[in-house]
Amino acid sequence: MLGKVLLISGGKAEMDFIREYTASLKYDTVVCADSGLDTAYRLGMPVHYFMGDFDSVSQETLAEYRSADKAAKFVQYPKAKDYTDTQMVLEWILSEGASEITILGATGGRLDHFLSNLNILMKPLKQGIPAYIVDSHNRLYLIDGETTLHREQVFGQYISLQPLSEKVYPVTLTGFQYGLKDYTLTYGDGRAISNEFAPEAQTATISFTHGELIVIESRD
């Protein structure tokens, strides 16, 4: 069992943010996808597993984490493969019994990789495992039913909802500054963007029974 997993992907790394964020994050296992290993190396972070085709990882980093004193386990995939490094690593993490997954380095740089990373969150969602993509301005995750947010636990002031499925319904928002009642969210609908907690509310609830939502907690 891997417990709470920190997955460092190979996207653009915000070093100061990652250093600060991981200092207060509780996790049991560190897994790096390809050049995410370079990020861990620059931070001096212990790594338990690293995987990928290693086409973008420095040789110095590879040598360091392959050394006997690091005791990190690695799997090298061929460059010609059907899935991204992050998806392959995420599927392995799920197969090994993660209880929660936080993914860093998954939003910066190429948008095709970001959209792929967003969509593969469906895999932990369907297994009932919380999974988050986090950068310095956002924490995003998927939900498929009623979810309660706590003011002291949200990542930022603003909370936005976007449908991942064609329709999400009936959406009811309580405890938010801008509420909804039995609303149908569809592609292209900006009705649930940039909401906030109601001034007096300590919790806010998103309720629906059909579809999947992207939740984005943001700060400036």
Side-chain angles (χ1 to χ4, degrees):
M1 298 293 288
L2 299 179
K4 293 186 176 181
V5 176
L6 174 64
L7 168 54
I8 305 178
S9 187
K12 183 179 179 181
E14 303 171 286
M15 299 303 295
D16 291 341
F17 165 73
I18 292 175
R19 184 178 292 106
E20 177 183 357
Y21 187 73
T22 56
S24 59
L25 184 68
K26 294 181 179 179
Y27 54 88
D28 304 300
T29 307
V30 178
V31 184
C32 293
D34 206 66
S35 59
L37 190 65
D38 278 322
T39 300
Y41 180 62
R42 290 163 63 190
L43 292 169
M45 180 180 290
V47 172
H48 300 93
Y49 303 92
F50 59 99
M51 304 175 184
D53 54 26
F54 307 138
D55 60 348
S56 55
V57 182
S58 74
Q59 293 303 306
E60 180 183 8
T61 300
L62 283 175
E64 179 74 13
Y65 283 101
R66 283 173 169 170
S67 63
D69 62 317
K70 289 293 186 183
K73 299 178 181 179
F74 70 93
V75 175
Q76 184 164 355
Y77 301 122
K79 290 184 179 181
K81 55 188 184 298
D82 294 328
Y83 305 105
T84 65
D85 290 314
T86 301
Q87 179 171 342
M88 295 179 76
V89 174
L90 180 64
E91 289 182 351
W92 179 84
I93 289 170
L94 292 171
S95 73
E96 294 296 311
S99 60
E100 183 177 294
I101 304 167
T102 299
I103 308 174
L104 303 177
T107 60
R110 289 175 51 176
L111 289 178
D112 56 343
H113 280 210
F114 164 66
L115 291 174
S116 173
N117 292 335
L118 171 62
N119 278 276
I120 62 176
L121 291 184
M122 282 292 291
K123 294 180 179 293
L125 178 70
K126 293 306 182 184
Q127 296 186 33
I129 297 172
Y132 308 92
I133 291 176
V134 185
D135 65 18
S136 59
H137 293 282
N138 310 281
R139 180 172 68 174
L140 63 90
Y141 50 96
L142 306 181
I143 61 174
D144 57 4
E146 183 170 312
T147 301
T148 298
L149 309 182
H150 299 266
R151 183 187 288 272
E152 72 275 10
Q153 295 175 0
V154 295
F155 186 79
Q157 176 182 355
Y158 305 107
I159 300 163
S160 296
L161 308 177
Q162 281 285 281
L164 186 62
S165 50
E166 183 178 0
K167 294 181 180 181
V168 183
Y169 63 94
V171 179
T172 296
L173 304 180
T174 56
F176 288 91
Q177 188 163 340
Y178 306 102
L180 286 176
K181 176 67 174 177
D182 295 338
Y183 188 78
T184 298
L185 273 173
T186 59
Y187 289 144
D189 187 345
R191 181 74 180 272
I193 295 296
S194 201
N195 212 333
E196 302 179 43
F197 276 79
E200 71 284 357
Q202 296 304 308
T203 62
T205 300
I206 306 162
S207 178
F208 60 99
T209 56
H210 295 80
E212 293 87 24
L213 278 176
I214 306 167
V215 182
I216 308 171
E217 301 171 359
S218 301
R219 59 195 186 195
D220 292 326

